[in-house]
Amino acid sequence: MVDLDDIDRKILTLLQQDSRMTMQEISEKVGLSASPCHRRIKILEERGVITRYGATLDQRAVGLPVSVFISIKLVRQKEEDLERFAKAVAGWREVLECYLMTGHRDYLLRVVVADLAAYDQFLKQKLTRLDGISSIESSFALDQIKYANALPL
């Protein structure tokens, strides 16, 4: 874990809100001149606190309105089985999130697709073709109540 002071936290909060802010805007809001502010951001990047910059898209606006949460149970939980599953899932664009879980399921995936036919295709052409899966349970989101990708600093 990286030690963060109040100014680092303010910088990170601002960047999470709008990563297109200029250095001048950020520095004014945190009470530093642009040069020390830039140095702090570079250090945060080098330490792996800031991993990338990007745009957050509205999944409905880009034609992917269906969110599916998929619980996966593997036949075995041996290291090679876990690694094989994780490697396969990492290459699938439909999978936005994948978590190794505790409890009676091994993985939880969040998948986005255009419609039920697209999910059926994903299921049949990708997920069910993986060896070592014992069961697949899909839950379709009816509505998104909250979505955040900003950490609460």
Side-chain angles (χ1 to χ4, degrees):
M1 187 169 98
V2 177
D3 284 332
L4 302 172
D5 65 15
D6 288 342
I7 293 175
D8 290 333
R9 291 178 190 282
K10 287 178 186 175
I11 290 170
L12 292 169
T13 298
L14 290 168
L15 287 172
Q16 286 185 114
Q17 291 170 355
D18 181 2
S19 64
R20 293 181 58 178
M21 264 186 174
T22 67
M23 196 60 61
Q24 188 63 41
E25 291 171 319
I26 295 168
S27 64
E28 287 172 6
K29 290 180 187 271
V30 301
L32 290 177
S33 62
S35 195
C37 188
H38 184 261
R39 271 195 302 275
R40 280 178 177 258
I41 291 172
K42 282 295 179 199
I43 290 168
L44 291 167
E45 291 170 349
E46 290 166 3
R47 291 184 177 166
V49 176
I50 298 172
T51 58
R52 65 183 170 150
Y53 297 89
T56 303
L57 307 180
D58 181 317
Q59 71 182 76
R60 293 183 198 291
V62 297
L64 298 167
V66 180
S67 287
V68 187
F69 294 87
I70 307 168
S71 295
I72 303 290
K73 175 102 175 113
L74 300 181
V75 174
R76 304 176 317 172
Q77 290 77 30
K78 290 192 173 188
E79 186 174 355
E80 61 267 17
D81 298 318
L82 298 172
E83 288 175 3
R84 182 177 54 248
F85 182 85
K87 184 178 178 183
V89 169
W92 296 339
R93 296 178 64 211
E94 300 91 344
V95 178
L96 296 188
E97 298 175 76
C98 177
Y99 300 93
L100 179 60
M101 304 295 290
T102 63
H104 52 277
R105 296 291 175 184
D106 296 311
Y107 287 97
L108 179 65
L109 282 62
R110 177 175 167 238
V111 171
V112 296
V113 290
D115 52 31
L116 291 177
Y119 179 67
D120 184 57
Q121 184 177 0
F122 169 79
L123 189 65
K124 290 177 180 172
Q125 294 182 1
K126 293 183 179 174
L127 199 52
T128 59
R129 291 185 181 185
L130 282 181
D131 288 332
I133 294 179
S134 170
S135 67
I136 300 168
E137 184 178 306
S138 304
S139 297
F140 290 82
L142 298 177
D143 193 11
Q144 184 180 72
I145 308 305
K146 178 181 178 181
Y147 173 80
N149 64 354
L151 297 175
L153 298 176

